[in-house]
Amino acid sequence: MYRVKEAFYTLQGEGAQAGRAAVFCRFSKCNLWNGRERDRARAVCSFCDTDFVGTDGQNGGVFETAEALADHLWRLWPSAPGRPYVVCTGGEPLLQLDDALVAALHRRGFEVGVETNGTLSPPAGIDWLCVSPKADAPVVVDRCDELKLVFPQPLAMPERFEHIQARHYFLSPMASPAAPASGEDTVKLANTRKATEYCLAHPRWRLTLQMHKLIGID
Ligand SMILES: C[S@@+](CC[C@H](N)C(=O)[O-])C[C@H]1O[C@@H](n2cnc3c(N)ncnc32)[C@H](O)[C@@H]1O
Ligand SMILES: Nc1nc2[nH]cc(C(=O)O)c2c(=O)[nH]1
Ligand code: SF4
Ligand SMILES: [Mg+2]
């Protein structure tokens, strides 16, 4: 059984695949925060900008089988040329994404991307793995396609993750969780300056911005 908060078709807003059309599947639940505002300050990950509680979002629901969920996601992909891409996110997608679902998505023709906090091992066959470490949560993944570190995090500075093999090393300025989806976020602006300084001093790291928030899409 799979619990999905929401699913939607949009452009990937972050990292090396930014600008690419994708179906997003946002799984419910995370292992680093229960999603309740009153518990945020005590959570391992306390800056999350996402509501992943329950199954009540757009195209959300409970899916009994991998085939049923893959069919549901496939219906969100347009019938037009271009390589179908699905991004499994959450919440923490690796609490639910398994071999059966990866296989069902591949059978439909999807390339499978995953956005994970890196604390759980991924199933085999993922086409694009994005790891985004959080605070002092132990990272168990030792290679990925992109490392996308939210910056700054006092307990998770970039140097700690340079042993992880990745094609790309990104810093993503921390947005204020309270900021509206689009609109002014002065905290983020200050963090963007800090991330810029870091990238200038450490050229292995690149800046990535949450493009979807800049242009006001999901
Ligand atoms: C909501 S998380 C879900 C996937 C997974 N749990 C993770 O943390 O990578 C999706 C992406 O949003 C990023 N993110 C979460 N809160 C953020 C914030 N306040 N500012 C910038 N990026 C944030 C995460 O680091 C991750 O790359
Ligand atoms: N457009 C868009 N791109 C994204 N990249 C990662 C996202 C996420 O929440 O995992 C996300 C998201 O929520 N929207
Ligand atoms: S950013 Fe990822 S790891 Fe942190 S609480 Fe949100 S879903 Fe969980
Ligand atoms: Mg997001």
Side-chain angles (χ1 to χ4, degrees):
M1 185 166 46
Y2 304 90
R3 294 185 175 276
V4 173
K5 170 71 183 186
E6 59 179 354
F8 50 94
Y9 179 59
T10 188
L11 300 184
Q12 169 59 284
E14 307 172 8
Q17 305 279 2
R20 181 174 179 185
V23 173
F24 274 71
C25 177
R26 188 177 308 287
F27 288 96
S28 308
K29 296 205 174 131
C30 180
N31 57 334
L32 300 184
W33 179 38
N34 63 16
R36 292 190 203 111
E37 281 304 327
R38 66 172 178 275
D39 295 326
R40 182 190 281 279
R42 273 172 286 164
V44 174
C45 183
S46 58
F47 57 81
C48 187
D49 63 358
T50 301
D51 177 4
F52 52 76
V53 177
T55 57
D56 57 352
Q58 57 171 327
N59 305 307
V62 178
F63 299 84
E64 291 298 331
T65 64
E67 294 302 323
L69 177 52
D71 279 339
H72 180 69
L73 297 172
W74 184 246
R75 271 181 230 118
L76 299 176
W77 185 262
S79 49
R83 185 83 214 267
Y85 190 40
V86 63
V87 177
C88 299
T89 184
E92 178 44 54
L94 297 186
L95 293 170
Q96 301 194 57
L97 184 64
D98 56 7
D99 291 335
L101 183 55
V102 173
L105 293 167
H106 279 158
R107 274 197 293 278
R108 306 231 171 5
F110 274 126
E111 237 176 79
V112 179
V114 171
E115 303 264 335
T116 177
N117 58 33
T119 61
L120 302 164
S121 334
I126 287 164
D127 302 294
W128 188 267
L129 187 65
C130 171
V131 172
S132 185
K134 301 288 151 37
D136 55 356
V139 174
V140 301
V141 173
D142 60 8
R143 60 170 55 222
C144 59
D145 294 284
E146 63 185 347
L147 196 70
K148 189 176 69 196
L149 185 63
V150 174
F151 186 89
Q153 296 182 65
L155 296 178
M157 289 304 275
E159 309 83 72
R160 241 187 74 204
F161 307 104
E162 290 182 342
H163 66 282
I164 299 172
Q165 276 189 55
R167 295 204 228 185
H168 306 278
Y169 296 82
F170 284 110
L171 294 188
S172 184
M174 186 185 291
S176 160
S182 61
E184 203 173 317
D185 181 348
T186 48
V187 171
K188 187 171 195 175
L189 198 60
N191 290 337
T192 303
R193 293 221 178 85
K194 289 179 192 159
T196 303
E197 292 299 320
Y198 193 93
C199 293
L200 287 170
H202 305 85
R204 148 182 241 182
W205 292 88
R206 293 187 189 192
L207 183 70
T208 181
L209 300 179
Q210 293 181 299
M211 189 178 77
H212 50 296
K213 292 187 185 173
L214 296 173
I215 62 178
I217 60 172
D218 284 346

